[in-house]
Amino acid sequence: MILDAVIRAYETAKQTKGDSHLKSVMKSLTWRILGTLDTMLISYLITGELFVAFTIGSVEVITKMILYYVHERLWEKISFAKK
């Protein structure tokens, strides 16, 4: 049932030009999780403080998600290298 919905959504997305807004949001979320974990690790390695690492990661996750979404949507408008 869920798999059927995913397959239908995938087939519909293939028929439309470019990525949907939902796909851009999902890409933003998953990318930010990885990026934030990386930022927290680097912050911890530099400062040796878990609290500081989590604080930096908490602020960074919000700002970078917003910036990535805007960046993704701007690139979607550019016809460069589209089929």
Side-chain angles (χ1 to χ4, degrees):
M1 191 162 151
I2 293 174
L3 184 58
D4 291 334
V6 170
I7 292 170
R8 277 195 307 275
Y10 174 75
E11 292 299 324
T12 301
K14 283 194 330 186
Q15 296 170 4
T16 62
K17 186 176 180 182
D19 289 344
S20 70
H21 290 274
L22 178 59
K23 184 176 178 184
S24 292
V25 169
M26 296 307 296
K27 287 169 65 177
S28 297
L29 289 172
T30 57
W31 180 247
R32 282 316 328 141
I33 290 168
L34 290 173
T36 298
L37 290 173
D38 178 57
T39 297
M40 288 178 177
L41 177 62
I42 292 169
S43 298
Y44 177 72
L45 292 174
I46 291 171
T47 67
E49 299 284 334
L50 276 177
F51 180 77
V52 172
F54 282 107
T55 301
I56 292 169
S58 298
V59 171
E60 178 259 2
V61 71
I62 302 299
T63 59
K64 296 270 178 77
M65 259 194 310
I66 293 167
L67 290 171
Y68 178 81
Y69 179 80
V70 171
H71 177 262
E72 177 76 15
R73 296 317 302 170
L74 288 172
W75 269 100
E76 183 61 30
K77 294 180 183 299
I78 297 172
S79 61
F80 173 74
K82 280 191 176 183
K83 291 182 180 181

